[in-house]
């Protein structure tokens, strides 16, 4: 397993470079322009000067190599030089966003905590609710609990967040009286500093609505996969054997069936974790949690190539990494799976 | 946020804006606590020279100021200058080639150093520096030099007579920045000055305390502001992001914010929100006009590289003025306003509806829809349906137009309505909507930009900044056609060309005196209108909302909406 | 096998047995499916929706794009049972027209994504040699930013497709392919994970030891055992496809703006949620119930295809 892991990590490097090249070419080809959002009162000659100042005059391969160098060399060295004395800051310019004209990485790091807190928490909450629902639904197939679970999760999944988010705001912010305990803010305050219990309470309250909306989707999806996979295994021969041997029901279900049912669920969960860092574009937009997802969509709309490229590249690293984790987990869950 | 609960209580007391004036709104600086503003597009930087977007310009206008500003009525008033220079008071030279501004006495930067004429000179150098990509460079067009005559006097010299010299360093788009702060940020070095771009030092009522790009800005009152007792607010939270409907909701329904910008949402929804009684919707009209352009060149895909160019030949039927006139007559502009714009729009028949002195009245017949007239017009011209499919033919070509615009709920509603009206006079429209970042993007590789105009009809809004239409009217010169040779750059989207019009452009550039200029401008407007290559629909205003507890709001579409934020105050409580 | 006619003079009883053998196994599947109450109800409801949107317009013949400005923003009346929208267009007609697009896009795009996902997943899980390359391909597709990808696709293929298939079919193909090739990756990963584990099970080893060829092995032994995650992906996939289509059309990458679809009707109505709640209710219900009915059908089908349950 160790050699497998090392081999996978090594092949990840050319994979990632290839992915970054494809993304770069894709973004370069996409129609759109960094000056598109400027008012029409700004004349074309001025727009052309702006494009030149962004480096758009250079040919595409030069721009790609420059980006790659800044991404894998200048930026890490810069951050090292901030924390370690004996490394000096690199001479080259840092990776600059076209939209903010400021270092891309600083903006991303500024955004990350919000996204991790809101989207990450929603994911954890969603998974924690989904697993028991899936297990019980499968164990008591076609019971009232199962039917209700199916109904709610299917409605939950087929209602898009642009709708459920607005519905939550209308219910809990507009119609609820302001002094009620059940009133929750519809706008996330990113300037809040958690330095007291009171502020902690505020932080929790402002996370309630976005977390609810996001967790609904996660729960719906994962509980369906959990249920289906459990059902598959509950009918297997080894379950009958285990029962025949006189094992208690809880050992049979929780130990044998659950472990064997986890493979598709682990895949889905592992696929979801990079998505946490990617943020939740629509939900973040609705509740104004200005996290990574909102940054990505704003940058795409403004054709801010350095920002989009960097965000997608980080995203790609996470995908490759978590898929590796999932593969390793398969081996642990089912020792018969061998990669060597 | 503590303000919030107090705010809720106060709303009940204040019935309408007029009562607010009775409140004592004089007092010491910072007496009214926090002001919460929401812009659903968040500022990316606070340096308006690096990004010309409205969101950047307006957020920066709390900090950076210019020599003169335009009020809510479009009147130019002195701001950092002591007065407005004119030919009469000798501030503008008789040959119209230079203007001399005198700064007010005793204006301080927020760091306590005095504002001098050198800062103005530096601002000009900053924006015209090579490689800086200054977004406001057009404000310094024709400026030959900016000199500091003494500490208080700035002389701007133009390379040719400039009948309207109030562009450089006037209005929210070209404010004065501090020479000391930006000294090392000229040209290509501009993006390296992150701290300066994100926290410019200004002379305005507020100073930046924290800036998060594309998210939120926090301001606090400027201790060195030149007017006693202003601003009334101690701090400002300037939040960005989301969408127009939720921004409106946060001011009008939940009361979480005090001021929301650019609320282009369905008017019935907006007025329902307003009826909650917490806030008020306000509008300001500038020069924005939603219009249709009728392509005068042939955009047919069969032409290949010659699509929509001069070489590709004229449009098979849209160059016929009768057809354009019928298309215009069939439109009920009042209904478009009612459905899509509400208080934020007025039906118009001119591409230049404001300022009032320039507005022509020659075309006002189009304000009422005239279906019968349109049908009769086409019938009389012999443009009739010959093959019985319900679509008229012009010289054998059926009147089928492709009709494109950017993606936006209001525009798609307008498209659907206009399509129906045209179908009633026998013209079929095929609709298309294009993502705004592509449509307005101007990417020469994309076939879907508004400059390329590979469609028969397109719809969008354009306007001009400030109050002088000279540069704007020059957009329709023959030389302004977008074409492959110019990388499709150019502002004459519909490919209008008339030598008589070009002659009027030259006349305008050499005529001084507002009356004489207005005559020429009206004539130009009427020429454009009667060519029916451009069909104006709606004169659009800015729509914003403020909490009823917020007093002193006078929004202006000629300048930053927040131009008089120093005078804003909290009513009641 | 069943073609071989019984030898003349053979005993009738053998004839009868032959009939039983000849009985197609799909009849067994159908019998099992019928006993699943949820599945039958789901199927009935699904057929009802399909009939309603395809046959409905023959009965309710109002043009979904006809604007009647005097009747805008109306609640349910006899003239407009579902009310009208902000331009006075009949909501019932729009729901039916929208359903045609949404259901066909949803089903086709889901089918394409499922096919690609299962193909890649099974191949990668079963054949170790191509596992690495296929999974890196999956990583690549997972990492590609969706919006720029779609913008590029539209820019490159819109006109050629419109030219060769006519504007509406061209856009339909474009949308289905766009959704299909951007949503097969989770299915592929899930199927591959399951196949990796299945490959080591005793029955697969047994089948291999008697010389079963890989092709037959996959179709006979592997695929039936990964049906349940595929079914779940299918149900979730329809919902995703319907919503994604609305996002595409909204951005101007899909159907023309006056072309209703369920997702778009829902999106447009969100702003009016307080004023006219029925306008969000209809499309919301339609999408949810369609997905729910497909889900129950999937459940029934999975049970019916599982020989262990069918045998009971």
């Amino acid at each position: 397993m160790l050699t497998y892991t090392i081999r996978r990590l090594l092949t990840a490097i050319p994979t990632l470079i290839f992915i970054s090249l494809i993304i770069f070419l894709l973004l370069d080809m996409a129609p759109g322009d960094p000056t598109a959002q400027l008012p029409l009162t700004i004349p074309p000659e001025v727009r052309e000067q702006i494009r030149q100042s962004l480096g758009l005059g250079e040919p595409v391969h030069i721009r790609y190599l420059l980006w790659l160098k800044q991404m894998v060399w200048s930026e890490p060295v810069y951050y090292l030089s901030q924390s370690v004395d004996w490394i000096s800051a690199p001479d080259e310019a840092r990776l600059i966003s076209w939209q903010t004209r400021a270092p891309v990485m600083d903006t991303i790091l500024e955004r990350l905590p919000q996204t991790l807190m809101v989207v990450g928490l929603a994911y954890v909450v969603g998974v924690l609710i989904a697993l028991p629902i899936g297990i019980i639904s499968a164990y008591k197939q076609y019971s009232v609990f199962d039917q209700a679970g199916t109904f709610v999760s299917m409605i939950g999944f087929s209602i898009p967040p642009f709708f459920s988010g607005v519905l939550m705001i209308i219910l809990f912010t507009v119609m609820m009286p302001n002094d009620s305990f059940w009133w929750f803010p519809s706008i996330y305050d990113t300037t809040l500093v958690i330095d007291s219990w009171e502020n902690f309470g505020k932080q929790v309250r402002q996370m309630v609505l976005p977390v609810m909306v996001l967790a609904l989707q996660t729960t719906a999806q994962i509980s369906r996969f959990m249920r289906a996979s459990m059902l598959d295994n509950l009918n297997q021969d080894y379950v009958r054997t285990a029962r025949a041997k006189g094992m208690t029901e809880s050992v049979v279900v929780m130990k044998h069936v659950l472990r064997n049912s986890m493979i598709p669920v682990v895949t889905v969960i592992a696929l979801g974790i990079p998505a946490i860092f990617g943020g939740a574009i629509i939900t973040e937009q609705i509740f104004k949690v200005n996290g990574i997802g909102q940054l990505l969509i704003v940058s795409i709309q403004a054709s801010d190539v350095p920002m989009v490229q960097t965000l997608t590249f980080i995203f790609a690293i996470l995908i490759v990494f978590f898929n590796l984790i999932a593969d390793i987990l398969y081996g642990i869950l089912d020792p018969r799976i061998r990669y060597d | 946020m503590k303000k919030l609960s107090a705010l809720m209580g106060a709303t009940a007391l204040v019935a309408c804006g007029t009562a607010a004036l009775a409140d004592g709104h004089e007092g010491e600086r910072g007496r009214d606590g926090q002001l919460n503003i929401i812009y659903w597009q968040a500022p990316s930087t606070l340096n308006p020279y690096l990004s010309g977007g409205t969101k950047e310009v307006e957020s920066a206008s709390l900090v950076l100021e210019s020599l003169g500003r335009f009020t809510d009525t479009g009147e130019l008033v002195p701001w950092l200058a002591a007065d407005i220079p004119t030919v009469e008071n000798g501030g503008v030279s008789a040959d119209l080639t230079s203007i001399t501004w005198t700064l007010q006495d005793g204006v301080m930067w927020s760091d306590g150093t005095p504002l001098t004429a050198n800062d103005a000179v530096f601002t000009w150098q900053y924006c015209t520096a090579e490689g800086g990509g200054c977004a406001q460079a057009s404000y310094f067009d024709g400026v030959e030099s900016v000199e500091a005559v003494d500490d208080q006097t700035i002389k701007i010299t133009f390379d040719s007579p400039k009948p309207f010299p109030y562009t450089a360093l006037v209005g929210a788009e070209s404010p004065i920045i501090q020479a000391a702060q930006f000294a090392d940020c000229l040209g290509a070095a501009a993006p390296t000055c992150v701290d300066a771009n994100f926290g410019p030092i200004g002379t305005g009522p507020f100073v930046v305390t924290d800036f998060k790009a594309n998210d939120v800005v926090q301001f606090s009152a400027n201790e060195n502001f030149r007017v006693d007792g202003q601003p009334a607010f101690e701090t400002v939270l300037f939040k960005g992001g989301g969408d127009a409907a939720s921004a409106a909701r946060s001011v009008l329904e939940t009361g979480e914010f005090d001021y929301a910008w650019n609320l282009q949402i369905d008017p019935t929804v907006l007025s329902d929100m307003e009826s909650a009684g917490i806030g008020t919707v306000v509008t300001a009209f500038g020069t924005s006009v939603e219009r249709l352009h009728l392509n005068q060149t042939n955009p047919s895909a069969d032409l290949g590289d010659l699509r929509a160019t001069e070489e590709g030949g004229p449009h098979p039927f849209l160059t016929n003025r009768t057809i354009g006139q019928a298309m215009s007559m069939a439109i009920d502009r009042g209904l478009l306003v009612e459905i899509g714009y509400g208080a934020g729009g007025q039906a118009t028949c001119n591409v230049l509806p404001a300022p009032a002195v320039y507005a022509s009245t020659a075309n006002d017949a189009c304000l009422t829809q005239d279906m019968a007239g349109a049908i009769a017009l086409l019938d009389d011209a012999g443009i009739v349906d010959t093959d019985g499919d319900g679509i008229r033919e012009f010289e054998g070509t059926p009147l089928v137009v492709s009709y494109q615009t950017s993606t936006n709920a209001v525009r798609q509603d307008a498209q659907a309505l206009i399509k129906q009206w045209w179908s009633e006079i026998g013209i079929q429209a095929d609709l298309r909507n294009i993502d705004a970042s592509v449509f307005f993007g101007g990417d020469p590789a994309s076939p879907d930009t508004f400059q390329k105009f590979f469609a028969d009809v397109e719809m969008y809004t354009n306007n001009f900044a400030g109050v002088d239409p000279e540069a704007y009217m020059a957009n329709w010169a023959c030389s302004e056609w977008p074409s492959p040779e110019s990388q499709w750059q150019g502002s004459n989207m519909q490919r209008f060309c008339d030598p008589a019009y070009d002659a009027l452009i030259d006349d305008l550039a050499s005529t001084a005196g507002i009356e004489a200029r207005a005559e020429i401008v009206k004539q130009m407007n009427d020429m454009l209108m009667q060519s029916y290559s451009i069909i104006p629909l709606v004169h659009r205003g800015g729509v914003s909302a403020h909490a009823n507890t917020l007093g002193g709001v006078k929004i202006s579409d000629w300048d930053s909406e927040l131009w008089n934020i120093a005078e804003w105050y909290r009513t009641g409580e | 096998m069943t073609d071989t006619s019984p030898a003349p003079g053979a005993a009738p009883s053998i004839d009868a047995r032959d009939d039983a053998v000849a009985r197609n196994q799909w009849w067994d599947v159908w019998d099992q499916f019928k006993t699943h109450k949820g599945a039958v109800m789901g199927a009935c409801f699904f057929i009802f929706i399909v009939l309603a949107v395809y046959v409905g317009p023959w009965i309710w013949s109002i043009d979904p794009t006809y604007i009647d400005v005097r009747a805008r923003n109306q609640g349910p009346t006899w003239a407009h049972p579902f009310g009208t929208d902000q331009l006075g267009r009949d909501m019932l007609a729009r729901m039916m027209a929208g359903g045609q697009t949404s259901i066909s896009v949803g089903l086709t795009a889901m089918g394409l994504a499922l096919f690609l996902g299962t193909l890649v997943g099974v191949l990668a899980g079963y054949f170790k040699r191509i596992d690495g390359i296929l999974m890196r391909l999956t990583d690549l597709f997972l990492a590609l930013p969706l919006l720029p990808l779609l913008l590029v696709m539209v820019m490159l293929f819109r006109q050629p497709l419109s030219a060769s298939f006519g504007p509406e079919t061209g856009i339909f193909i474009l949308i289905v392919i766009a959704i299909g090739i951007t949503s097969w990756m989770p299915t592929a990963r899930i199927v591959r994970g399951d196949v990796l584990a299945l490959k080591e099970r005793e029955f697969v080893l047994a089948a291999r030891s008697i010389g079963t060829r890989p092709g037959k092995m996959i179709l006979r032994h592997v695929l039936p055992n990964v049906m349940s995650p595929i079914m779940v992906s299918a149900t979730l996939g329809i919902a995703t496809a319907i919503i994604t289509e609305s996002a595409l059309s909204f951005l101007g990458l899909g159907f023309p703006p006056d072309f209703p679809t369920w997702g778009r009707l829902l999106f447009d109505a969100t702003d009016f949620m307080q004023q006219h709640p029925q306008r969000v209710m209809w499309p919301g219900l339609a999408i949810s119930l369609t997905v729910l009915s497909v889900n129950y059908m999937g459940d029934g089908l999975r049970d019916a295809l599982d020989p262990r349950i069918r045998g009971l």
Side-chain angles (χ1 to χ4, degrees), chain A residues 71-135:
Chain A
M71 184 70 212
V72 302
W73 174 249
S74 309
E75 289 291 329
V77 171
Y78 174 80
Y79 280 100
L80 275 177
S81 72
Q82 296 297 94
S83 47
V84 188
D85 291 337
W86 48 270
I87 299 178
S88 54
D91 304 330
E92 304 92 353
R94 298 185 58 194
L95 195 51
I96 299 285
S97 150
W98 288 352
Q99 206 184 6
T100 65
R101 297 294 195 96
V104 164
M105 290 308 279
D106 289 356
T107 312
I108 295 177
L109 289 178
E110 192 176 89
R111 294 302 186 93
L112 205 55
Q114 274 104 272
T115 289
L116 287 186
M117 233 176 335
V118 176
V119 188
L121 181 71
Y123 199 67
V124 173
V125 169
V127 171
L128 288 183
I129 298 177
L131 294 184
I133 290 185
I135 295 169

Side-chain angles (χ1 to χ4, degrees), chain A residues 33 44 111 186 188 190 288 290, chain B residues 213-215 239 256 441 489:
Chain A
D33 186 89
R111 294 302 186 93
S186 70
Y188 189 95
T190 42
K288 292 158 209 80
N290 287 345
Chain B
N214 290 337
D215 179 9
K239 174 84 178 172
E256 289 167 280
Q489 308 269 1

Side-chain angles (χ1 to χ4, degrees), chain B residues 142-434:
Chain B
V143 173
E144 198 172 79
S145 70
V146 178
E147 297 155 278
V149 178
D150 57 49
D151 267 2
Q152 296 298 95
T153 316
I154 303 150
K155 185 178 180 205
I156 303 174
T157 313
F158 303 102
D159 54 11
S160 59
K162 192 107 169 164
F164 187 85
Y166 312 109
T167 52
L169 305 176
V170 176
E173 276 93 355
S174 58
I176 295 179
I177 54 175
Q178 194 190 32
Q181 192 186 16
F182 284 90
D184 298 331
C185 312
L186 285 172
T192 58
C193 301
V194 176
D195 291 341
N197 295 334
F198 282 6
I201 292 170
T203 53
F206 292 97
V207 291
V208 184
T209 51
D210 184 32
F211 177 83
K212 290 194 169 113
N214 290 337
D215 179 9
V216 68
V217 198
Q218 283 174 289
F219 299 95
S220 64
N222 174 3
E223 289 311 316
N224 291 311
F225 191 56
R226 58 190 177 276
V227 184
D228 282 339
Q230 284 183 2
F233 291 97
E234 166 106 66
T235 53
V236 175
L237 178 76
F238 193 103
K239 174 84 178 172
D243 57 289
S246 65
R249 200 171 282 122
S250 68
V251 170
L252 296 172
E253 287 193 309
T254 71
E256 289 167 280
F257 277 77
D258 297 312
Y259 186 88
W261 157 88
N262 192 8
L263 306 175
Q264 205 199 6
I265 54 175
D266 189 278
T268 62
V269 174
L270 193 62
S271 60
D272 269 24
M273 286 184 184
E274 195 180 10
S275 66
I278 298 180
T280 312
V281 175
V282 285
T283 52
F285 285 89
T287 57
S288 299
V289 173
E290 180 89 4
R291 78 285 293 283
L292 299 173
H293 288 293
L294 309 189
N295 202 338
Q296 302 296 295
T297 55
N298 192 346
S300 163
D302 304 335
L303 290 173
D305 287 345
L306 297 180
R307 285 182 92 172
T309 62
E310 195 177 359
E311 295 77 28
H315 194 280
F317 54 85
L318 286 178
T319 44
N320 181 303
R321 294 186 179 196
T322 313
I323 295 175
Q325 189 179 359
M327 287 166 92
S328 171
M329 284 163 84
I331 295 169
D332 185 346
R333 292 168 172 78
L335 193 63
L336 286 180
V337 169
E338 193 184 327
I339 285 178
Y341 300 89
Q346 288 159 359
T348 185
C349 294
N350 297 304
V351 72
L352 186 73
V357 62
Y358 298 111
S360 162
T361 51
N363 315 295
D364 285 354
C366 87
L367 287 175
T368 36
Q369 186 188 28
D370 184 4
M371 239 2 144
I375 292 171
L377 198 64
L378 291 172
D379 286 344
D380 293 347
I383 304 166
V384 289
D385 178 17
T386 49
D387 51 10
D389 60 355
I391 301 166
R392 291 171 194 267
E393 281 83 27
F394 175 75
E395 293 172 357
T397 317
L399 302 187
V400 179
V401 294
S402 55
Y403 175 7
Q404 67 181 19
T405 186
S406 70
T407 300
N408 164 322
V410 175
R411 291 210 168 112
Q412 266 74 79
D413 281 355
Q415 270 186 308
L417 282 164
I418 291 173
K419 173 179 175 157
Q420 175 145 327
W421 289 323
W422 284 349
S423 79
E424 285 169 30
I425 60 168
I427 297 174
Q428 183 190 321
D430 298 326
L431 306 188
R432 173 107 202 268
N433 62 324
I434 299 159

